[in-house]
């Protein structure tokens, strides 16, 4: 477990550990292929872990969790492009929990460096080390890694399946494989006859998989174009199955009620009154709370509220102000992570003007549309779980641990996710559902958290504080010294998964803080970890989510202090550091018609953030409508190197920005008497359709290496909006949410 704990951390230490992976795991184990988890039946051929063919057609296994980001469609297209099938000819499934579906990009993202300065050697090293994810069974979706992970592997899977089918046909016909072609799910013979793939399934199953060269991208017919979303019809018609939709014969329904003082236990409970309600079947002691099993979910929720419970206190300060005072104490210690220390920040350059600013952001909930939900059924021969999870193999291991079963006896069925944003990387909702199923063996039970339980028992984006110091000279930034204090979601998550917190510098803590592509000669960014016991987790864009607000808001303040146009100020520092970033800023400038001047009643702000391999620049426009401020327009420019599906990339950039704008405008989790004060969406609002801006998006493809799409749209949103509000009002907001400073339209 020690090796797992170290390697899973996305820190710079991951590189040094991974280099000796052959020693830690055994060279053969790392290099040997993972077992194919697909178990074909009569007349079926599992040509590799991603492609199964039978008489009914082709089934593609795209085992990255589909939570609205379109990953299954693009992964299917990667396979279909090489396999020569059309998307409407195939069925797409998630696939079982299995080491074969490891995420090869997780390890690479943890290597040292800023990201934008990655050399060919470091890029190739990251790809080579990605195979370690197989040894760790890193079957997971997160970190905006899906396309980086699947780009080569899925095409190779499709190409291998294509050539294997051709070989099966060649063996039957007595011709050489190079005499055959493929088209639209058929092998084409020399005389032009067509053999459907399904007719070759049985024969292909006995052919050793063939490695094949990948096709030239100039021949692509799907990738690089806007693809029809394979999940859209099901979601539009209500036939798509989320965990909350699963129905099995004899099913019961449950809900959970846990200590609202997070991390505290349960002293006692009295369920006598709840048991008298018709349809209540059982009350389950969970240790830190209870679950109620009933004949329907609403009844279970009503009964859970009727249970009298005495709770233990929380292991953290009970009030929000005291919590942030605890966070600030981290500055008294030594920094955990100083990933960038250029020049001499302790000496003010001659003739430079120095200034400083302090910022803070609140705790945030994930607020997924579908609350935490899972179905579990425990039988004499094993356990079955249906849930929307971002970590199927970890969910499988946790379920096995809770029940005492062998891992192979636990079957994880991954449904669509009603929102993830990092929340469904966690295992608590799976563990609760399994414990509920153990209380009633043989019965499938759907455990659904109420919205209130979901919002008040999250693994929150931690609150954070930044102390920024800078200097300008001759209209340029010549010094930036940033200090960040917050909790470490990485260390907490590693402790929850492996039983050990990660050690060493935490790269995730300071991502978006130390690795912004600006040529500032004296540049140091440091992160301090607070051991505050509030549950912290991975929230969409993780450290970038708050660090971009700190870094870019301060950058805007420096520009104004220098008397410079904020966009040109950034652009001047980006050009010598990374031309890709400069092009993104130039593009958003041209798209928005940026002049640096706005009429009365209109404000514009620009922000830039590099995260997950992708630089994103945003311009936000706000307007004053009789004292109420409306977010009017937004422009986004991004460069992820290669847009496999431009329509999906645009949707992700739009969605990421809206998630960020919602949090920046309204998002805040606060505490009173140790309990979260926000219960539901009326307490934790979001940007609505009538308050959303008009949005224009442009995708560049000049980035040297492929970046992510799911998260990079979020980090620039908060600073862009804050900077726009400053332009409109002259008031600088250094804390979030912004509705505490301005009258925003709701």
């Amino acid at each position: 477990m020690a090796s797992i704990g170290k390697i899973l951390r996305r820190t710079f230490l991951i590189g040094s550990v991974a280099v000796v992976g052959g020693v830690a795991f055994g060279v053969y184990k790392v290099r040997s292929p993972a077992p194919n988890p697909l178990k074909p039946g009569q007349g079926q051929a599992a040509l590799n872990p991603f492609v199964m063919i039978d008489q009914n057609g082709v089934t593609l296994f795209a085992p990255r969790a589909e939570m609205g980001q379109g990953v299954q469609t693009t992964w299917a297209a990667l396979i279909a492009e090489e396999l020569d099938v059309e998307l409407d000819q195939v069925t797409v499934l998630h696939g079982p929990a299995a080491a074969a579906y490891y995420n090869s990009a997780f390890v690479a993202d943890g290597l040292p460096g800023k990201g934008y300065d990655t050399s060919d050697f470091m890029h190739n090293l990251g790809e080579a080390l990605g195979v370690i994810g197989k040894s760790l069974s890193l079957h997971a979706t997160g970190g905006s890694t899906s396309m980086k992970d699947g780009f080569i592997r899925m095409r190779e899977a499709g190409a291998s399946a294509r050539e294997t089918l051709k070989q099966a046909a060649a063996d039957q016909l007595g011709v050489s494989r190079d005499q055959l072609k493929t088209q639209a799910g058929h092998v084409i013979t020399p005389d032009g006859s067509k053999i459907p793939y399904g007719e070759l399934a049985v024969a292909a199953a006995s052919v050793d998989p063939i490695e094949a060269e990948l096709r030239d991208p100039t021949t692509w017919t799907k990738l690089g174009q806007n693809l029809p979303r394979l999940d859209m019809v099901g979601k539009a018609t209500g036939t798509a199955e989320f965990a909350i939709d699963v129905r099995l014969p004899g099913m019961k329904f449950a809900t959970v009620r846990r200590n609202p003082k997070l991390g505290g236990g349960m002293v006692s409970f009295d369920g006598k009154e709840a048991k008298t309600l018709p349809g209540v079947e059982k009350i389950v002691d969970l240790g830190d709370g209870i679950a109620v099993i009933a004949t329907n979910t609403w009844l279970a929720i009503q009964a859970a509220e009727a249970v009298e419970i005495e709770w233990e206190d929380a292991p953290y300060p009970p009030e929000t102000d005291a919590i942030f005072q605890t966070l600030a104490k981290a500055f008294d210690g030594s920094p955990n992570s100083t990933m960038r220390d250029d020049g001499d920040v302790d000496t003010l350059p001659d003739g430079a003007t120095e200034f400083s600013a302090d910022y803070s952001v609140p705790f945030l909930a994930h607020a997924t549309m579908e609350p935490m939900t899972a179905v579990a059924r425990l039988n004499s021969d094993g356990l079955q779980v249906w849930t929307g999870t971002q970590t199927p193999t970890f969910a499988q291991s946790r379920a096995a641990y809770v029940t005492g079963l062998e891992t192979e006896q636990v079957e994880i069925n991954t449904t669509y996710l009603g929102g993830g944003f990092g929340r469904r990387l966690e295992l608590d909702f799976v563990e609760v559902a399994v414990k509920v199923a153990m209380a009633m063996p043989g019965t499938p039970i759907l455990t659904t958290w109420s919205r209130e339980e979901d919002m008040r028992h999250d693994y929150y984006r931690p609150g954070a504080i930044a102390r920024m110091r800078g200097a300008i000279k001759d209209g340029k930034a010549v010094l930036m010294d940033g200090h960040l204090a917050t909790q470490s979601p990485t260390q907490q998550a590693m402790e929850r998964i492996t039983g050990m917190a990660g050690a060493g510098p935490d790269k995730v803590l300071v991502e978006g803080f130390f690795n912004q592509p600006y040529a500032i000669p004296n540049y140091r960014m440091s992160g301090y970890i607070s051991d505050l016991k509030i549950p912290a987790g991975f929230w969409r864009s993780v450290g970038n989510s708050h660090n971009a607000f700190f870094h870019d808001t301060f950058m805007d303040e420096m520009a104004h202090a220098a008397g410079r146009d904020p966009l040109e100020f950034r652009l001047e520092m980006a050009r010598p550091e990374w031309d890709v970033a400069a092009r993104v800023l130039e593009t958003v400038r041209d798209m928005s018609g940026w002049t640096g001047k706005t009429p009365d009643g209109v404000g514009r702000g620009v922000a830039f953030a590099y995260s997950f391999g992708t630089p994103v620049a945003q311009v936000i426009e706000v307007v004053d409508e009789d004292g109420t401020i409306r977010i009017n327009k937004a422009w986004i420019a991004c460069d992820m190197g290669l847009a496999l599906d431009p329509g999906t990339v645009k949707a992700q950039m739009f969605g990421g920005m809206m998630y960020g704008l919602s949090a920046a405008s309204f998002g805040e989790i606060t505490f009173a008497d140790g309990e979260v004060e926000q219960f539901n969406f009326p307490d934790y609002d979001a940007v609505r359709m009538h308050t959303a801006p008009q949005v224009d998006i442009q995708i560049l493809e000049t980035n040297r290496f492929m970046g992510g799409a799911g998260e990079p749209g979020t980090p620039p949103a908060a600073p862009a909006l804050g900077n726009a509000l400053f332009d409109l009002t002259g008031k600088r907001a250094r804390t979030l949410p912004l509705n505490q400073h301005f009258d925003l339209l709701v």
Side-chain angles (χ1 to χ4, degrees):
M1 295 299 281
S3 295
I4 294 176
K6 291 177 182 176
I7 293 177
L8 284 181
R9 282 187 296 110
R10 288 167 54 219
T11 72
F12 81 89
L13 286 182
I14 200 167
S16 60
V17 174
V19 167
V20 296
V23 177
F25 300 102
V27 173
Y28 173 76
K29 184 175 181 181
V30 171
R31 293 179 179 173
S32 64
N36 189 338
L38 305 181
K39 307 299 180 186
Q42 186 71 27
Q44 294 180 317
L47 302 185
N48 52 57
F50 305 98
V51 180
M52 183 178 284
I53 297 177
D54 59 19
Q55 293 293 329
N56 297 317
V58 179
T59 299
L60 305 183
F61 290 87
R64 293 293 168 261
E66 180 58 74
M67 43 191 156
Q69 81 279 38
V71 63
Q72 288 193 356
T73 299
T74 310
W75 267 46
L78 286 165
I79 298 176
E81 192 72 74
E82 295 287 346
L83 183 55
D84 264 343
V85 293
E86 300 302 321
L87 290 181
D88 60 4
Q89 291 180 291
V90 302
T91 300
V92 181
L93 299 176
H94 181 275
Y101 300 130
Y102 67 92
N103 190 321
S104 64
F106 274 153
V107 173
D109 278 3
L111 291 175
K114 305 180 187 76
Y116 65 84
D117 61 349
T118 297
S119 64
D120 286 334
F121 172 78
M122 289 298 290
H123 177 73
N124 294 335
L125 176 63
E127 289 194 336
L129 294 175
V131 73
I132 292 174
K134 174 187 62 183
S135 300
L136 299 171
S137 295
L138 282 179
H139 180 183
T141 307
S144 299
T145 58
S146 292
M147 292 308 111
K148 290 184 284 185
D149 169 46
F151 179 58
I152 299 297
R153 294 171 69 201
M154 294 306 95
R155 291 161 63 209
E156 288 178 342
S160 175
R162 179 192 72 231
E163 295 304 309
T164 302
L165 287 162
K166 286 170 62 179
Q167 187 61 55
D171 293 342
Q172 287 185 3
L173 298 171
V175 300
S176 64
R177 177 160 48 95
D178 59 9
Q179 293 181 268
L180 304 176
K181 299 179 181 179
T182 54
Q183 183 181 29
H186 296 77
V187 172
I188 312 300
T189 66
D191 64 3
S193 300
K194 298 181 179 180
I195 307 175
Y197 285 169
E199 293 184 10
L200 296 167
V202 175
S206 62
V207 176
D208 290 336
I210 296 172
E211 292 187 14
E213 291 187 4
L214 299 179
R215 289 176 166 170
D216 190 315
T218 60
T219 68
W220 287 349
T221 60
K222 303 171 185 65
L223 297 173
Q225 304 179 38
N226 295 339
L227 299 171
R229 286 281 293 271
L230 299 180
D231 56 336
M232 194 56 66
V233 172
K235 290 177 177 178
T237 59
T239 57
E241 187 176 69
F242 297 80
I244 206 168
D245 300 318
V246 173
R247 294 295 182 270
L248 299 170
M251 177 175 278
K252 302 296 181 184
F253 301 84
T255 196
V256 61
R257 185 175 161 209
R258 303 168 77 187
N259 191 341
K261 299 178 180 181
L262 308 175
M266 180 174 64
V267 177
S268 63
F269 74 92
D270 183 349
K272 289 194 292 290
E273 181 180 343
K275 289 179 180 178
T276 64
L277 296 175
V280 172
E281 305 216 354
K282 203 162 198 175
I283 298 177
V284 183
D285 185 347
L286 298 175
D288 65 343
I290 55 97
V292 174
I293 303 173
T295 53
N296 64 66
T297 299
W298 178 244
L299 175 59
I301 292 174
Q302 295 298 105
E305 289 301 314
V307 177
E308 296 287 338
I309 306 177
E310 181 182 355
W311 302 115
E312 293 179 352
D313 287 336
Y316 49 81
E319 310 295 330
T320 302
D321 288 347
I323 287 169
F324 273 83
Q325 290 170 11
T326 301
L327 283 176
K329 289 179 181 177
F331 288 125
D332 297 336
S334 299
N336 164 273
S337 313
T338 301
M339 310 295 288
R340 186 170 192 161
D341 192 356
D342 302 340
D344 179 9
V345 300
D346 295 319
T347 303
L348 184 67
D350 291 340
T353 301
E354 181 180 15
F355 62 99
S356 62
D358 293 348
Y359 303 88
S360 70
V361 296
F363 290 82
L364 294 175
H366 292 83
T368 59
M369 187 60 68
E370 177 192 26
M372 297 302 102
T373 308
V375 175
R377 177 171 59 194
L378 180 65
N379 292 320
S380 58
D381 57 347
L383 174 73
Q384 293 173 292
V385 177
W386 292 260
T387 192
T389 175
Q390 293 176 244
T391 53
T393 48
F394 290 169
Q396 182 185 44
S397 296
R398 178 62 59 85
Y401 175 79
V402 171
T403 57
L405 296 171
E406 296 297 323
T407 303
E408 294 74 19
Q409 293 177 278
V410 177
E411 175 186 310
I412 300 292
N413 301 279
T414 302
T415 62
Y416 284 126
L417 282 62
F421 315 123
R423 176 62 177 95
R424 286 185 162 93
L425 288 164
E426 304 292 344
L427 306 175
D428 55 332
F429 58 96
V430 175
E431 182 171 333
V432 166
V434 170
K435 288 180 177 179
V436 170
M438 291 171 66
M440 197 174 285
T443 301
I445 304 174
L446 169 61
T447 300
T448 305
W449 295 28
S450 69
R451 175 61 62 192
E452 290 75 14
E453 282 293 312
D454 182 280
M455 191 163 287
R456 301 183 81 206
H457 291 86
D458 203 342
Y459 291 95
Y460 299 101
R461 198 289 303 276
I465 302 169
R467 296 174 178 173
M468 307 294 291
R469 169 177 158 264
I472 54 174
K473 180 179 179 180
D474 299 329
K476 299 180 181 180
V478 294
L479 185 151
M480 183 181 282
D481 185 16
H483 299 263
L484 159 77
T486 187
Q487 295 171 270
S488 170
T490 304
Q491 288 190 1
Q492 279 206 21
M494 289 313 308
E495 188 163 10
R496 289 192 290 269
I497 294 171
T498 71
M500 297 186 345
D506 185 344
K507 184 178 179 181
V508 178
L509 187 80
V510 291
E511 61 184 1
F513 205 51
F514 81 95
N515 58 341
Q516 295 309 300
Y518 292 120
I520 301 175
N522 305 290
Y523 201 165
R524 180 177 68 194
M525 310 302 284
S526 302
Y528 301 74
I529 294 179
S530 170
D531 64 356
L532 190 67
K533 300 303 181 185
I534 293 174
F538 301 115
W539 189 91
R540 192 174 191 173
S541 76
V542 203
N544 299 282
S545 67
H546 48 72
N547 291 334
F549 174 70
F550 300 148
H551 191 284
D552 199 84
T553 304
F554 190 65
M555 186 68 71
D556 209 67
E557 294 204 48
M558 293 178 74
H560 284 284
R564 298 287 307 283
D565 176 277
L567 198 153
E568 291 301 322
F569 183 74
R570 291 169 173 81
L571 190 53
E572 189 175 81
M573 291 182 291
R575 284 192 178 111
E577 186 72 11
W578 193 35
D579 58 346
V580 177
R583 281 192 290 270
V584 168
L585 281 163
E586 290 166 347
T587 300
V588 84
R589 177 196 62 193
D590 298 341
M591 295 168 62
S592 63
W594 179 279
T595 63
K597 301 182 184 301
T598 51
D600 290 344
V602 177
R604 281 190 172 188
V606 63
F608 172 90
Y610 168 77
S611 63
F612 304 96
T614 300
V616 179
Q618 296 178 5
V619 169
I620 300 288
E621 180 181 278
V622 295
V623 295
D624 186 326
E625 298 179 336
D626 297 324
T628 299
I629 299 172
R630 178 169 58 86
I631 306 172
N632 187 42
K633 294 180 180 178
W635 295 265
I636 307 173
C638 65
D639 191 337
M640 57 180 301
L642 179 62
L644 297 175
D645 181 346
T648 292
V649 173
K650 288 185 176 182
Q652 284 302 287
M653 288 296 154
F654 174 85
M657 182 190 70
M658 295 305 297
Y659 197 71
L661 289 178
S662 293
S665 299
F666 310 111
E668 183 180 32
I669 291 295
T670 58
F671 295 82
D673 194 26
E675 300 183 14
V676 170
E677 295 185 285
Q678 288 70 31
F679 283 70
N680 208 317
F681 287 116
D683 311 317
Y684 193 86
D685 210 346
V687 172
R688 310 299 182 98
M689 291 180 69
H690 72 283
T691 61
Q694 300 177 34
V695 182
D696 186 17
I697 303 168
Q698 284 196 29
I699 304 170
L700 284 71
E701 295 183 275
T702 69
N703 201 343
R704 193 173 176 194
F705 303 118
M706 184 181 293
E711 294 167 276
T714 298
L721 179 55
N723 296 338
L725 291 167
F726 173 78
D727 183 51
L728 176 68
T729 68
K731 180 180 179 180
R732 177 67 68 182
R734 292 173 175 165
T735 63
L736 299 178
L738 293 167
N739 67 343
Q740 295 182 351
H741 306 279
F742 307 96
D743 185 7
L744 301 180
L745 179 65
V746 294

